[in-house]
Amino acid sequence: MDLEPQSAAPGRVEQNGTNSIPLVERHGSPRDLFTVWAGSNVTYLYFVLGGLLVLFGLNVWQAIAVVIAGNLFFVGVGFLAITGPRSGVPSEVIGRAFFGVRGNRVLNLVCGWFVGVLYEAINLSVGATVGFALVLWFAPQAPIWVQGALVLGLALLTFTISVYGHATILRFSRWITWVLLIGIALMAFFVLLRADFSYEPAGGSLEGAPLWAVALAGFTLIASAPLSWQVGADYARYLPPDSNPSHVAFWTGFGGFLPAVAIGILGVLAGTVVDMSDPTTGMASILPSWFYPIFLVIVIVGSVANNSLTAYSTGLALLAAGVRWRRSVTVIFDAVIAVGITLYALFVSNFLDSLSGLLEVSLVILAPSMAIYVVDIIIRRNRYDGRSLEDESPGGSNWFRRGWNLAGLTALVVGAVATALFVSTTFYMGPLAAALGGADLSPIVGSLVAGGLYALLAGRRIRASLASPRTDAEPRSAEVAA
């Protein structure tokens, strides 16, 4: 593969994203990761998800507990990030260690790229819907085609930031994070003034299901968001290789967890006083008229920040999958696909149904794949060699059996089947979920089955390779050594 220099100064297009970062270009501290992850997670999606918990039939405190519990998966996101400074390569390349070169290509297309593009479409849909509400605030007779134009405009802005790469995203995140947090703090003030903390659902739980089943369904919905962020190494790889792993994990995980929980709780509280089936319009009834358009702008900017990070990683996923394009071209390709899905979601299907269904079904792959990644880090003691991981040649350390690591792939397939048996959505319910009255245990079961099976199948081989005097798992140069 013809690889080009990876890092870029702000204002210069970053051309590629799969080669390891040279030591001379490693800089910053783990604390810098907070603004990257916090800025990208100040998104309206979490507000909508919090409101959906109220629509499910949970009361205030039950819904808040579910928001906190589901977002604890950001601990896993932080843990995955520690592989970045050590190896200097993104998560999309590290996956070769546990899936093999060819197996990892397939997983990058399904898990890294396809799911990522669907999330890009969700964020574009949210941004365009809110943007149209902003237009209607000033021009009530605006035609519906304006919403389509907003999709194109937001896509142009979002994917332009992603094309310029890591340095631009980092600079954008540093100032936008605090602007968004201030705006969210103001919104929180007005929501708290009107919220009904004693709210109890009048119609009972969703479809008459028992409370614990509804709570588990909400847990799965909330957990789907952090589980989709299996790209922690993509941004941590720019840090010096001797960066403290616990600090890397903390600032990454906390950066995602804090805004996700805070905004999710605001969605819950808003759901006690407004109809969260149409949250954008409903918020106009509890926000001052002078602040409502500001609130809409905050949502739009948040969707752009979140999508910039997502689009950057989906571009890397295509490269890691073996697509021989420049990274800038992969981002443009993503934009075309995401815009098409967004227009369909807005003008053809029911957006809320599509949203909840997509997030829940994506866990079939996301939960087991994160578990395998975590277990591999633990067994390997985070000893990844960036140069070795980039070796795609037959016979290399990542080739395994014809390019497929059967241990990782078997664990993934079995974990995905186990997850599917326990998943419960509006259009599909696994047989074991049905037997439990609709309870959705998919993220928990999928993680335990996949992680445990991978440890059983691959643990001995990995530990044996680490015990040898010279292994491909160990760093080969000061450029990637911790």
Side-chain angles (χ1 to χ4, degrees), residues 6-69:
Q6 184 168 12
S7 64
R12 183 163 60 88
V13 175
E14 182 182 309
Q15 300 296 351
N16 202 293
T18 58
N19 56 318
S20 57
I21 304 300
L23 185 61
V24 69
E25 296 184 19
R26 306 282 197 95
H27 53 79
S29 72
R31 190 184 297 269
D32 295 331
L33 295 170
F34 175 80
T35 55
V36 172
W37 286 93
S40 299
N41 281 282
V42 180
T43 170
Y44 195 54
L45 173 62
Y46 299 129
F47 188 83
V48 174
L49 295 181
L52 282 176
L53 297 181
V54 177
L55 292 178
F56 280 6
L58 299 176
N59 67 28
V60 173
W61 301 109
Q62 292 163 350
I64 289 175
V66 169
V67 167
I68 294 172

Side-chain angles (χ1 to χ4, degrees), residues 93-222:
V93 172
I94 291 172
R96 294 171 181 172
F98 34 93
F99 294 128
V101 171
R102 288 178 172 169
N104 190 56
R105 287 176 182 173
V106 175
L107 265 295
N108 271 313
L109 283 175
V110 175
C111 187
W113 179 75
F114 182 66
V115 173
V117 168
L118 290 177
Y119 271 87
E120 291 167 16
I122 288 173
N123 281 312
L124 279 177
S125 298
V126 169
T129 300
V130 174
F132 190 55
L134 181 61
V135 171
L136 292 177
W137 180 259
F138 295 103
Q141 303 303 318
I144 190 64
W145 62 260
V146 172
Q147 193 169 20
L150 286 169
V151 171
L152 298 177
L154 289 174
L156 179 62
L157 175 60
T158 298
F159 292 100
T160 297
I161 294 171
S162 298
V163 163
Y164 278 96
H166 172 269
T168 302
I169 292 173
L170 186 63
R171 174 167 291 188
F172 176 74
S173 298
R174 281 174 177 164
W175 66 266
I176 205 62
T177 296
W178 303 112
V179 172
L180 292 173
L181 288 176
I182 291 171
I184 291 294
L186 285 171
M187 183 182 76
F189 173 76
F190 297 117
V191 170
L192 290 171
L193 284 179
R194 299 286 300 277
D196 180 4
F197 288 89
S198 61
Y199 171 84
E200 292 287 343
S205 60
L206 183 67
E207 298 181 354
L211 174 63
W212 64 277
V214 174
L216 284 173
F219 171 79
T220 299
L221 189 65
I222 298 298

Side-chain angles (χ1 to χ4, degrees), residues 237-297:
R237 66 193 168 125
Y238 288 88
L239 297 176
D242 59 352
S243 297
N244 188 309
S246 62
H247 293 176
V248 171
F250 173 78
W251 289 112
T252 297
F254 186 58
F257 178 83
L258 181 62
V261 168
I263 297 171
I265 291 175
L266 286 179
V268 170
L269 297 177
T272 66
V273 290
V274 303
D275 180 8
M276 289 302 286
S277 63
D278 185 9
T280 304
T281 303
M283 288 299 290
S285 65
I286 63 173
L287 295 177
S289 57
W290 64 266
F291 183 71
Y292 181 67
I294 297 175
F295 157 74
L296 298 178
V297 171

Side-chain angles (χ1 to χ4, degrees), residues 77 86 88 184 264 311 352 481:
V77 177
R86 176 67 175 181
I184 291 294
L352 282 179

Side-chain angles (χ1 to χ4, degrees), residues 65-79:
V66 169
V67 167
I68 294 172
N71 280 305
L72 286 176
F73 277 99
F74 271 110
V75 174
V77 177
F79 189 70

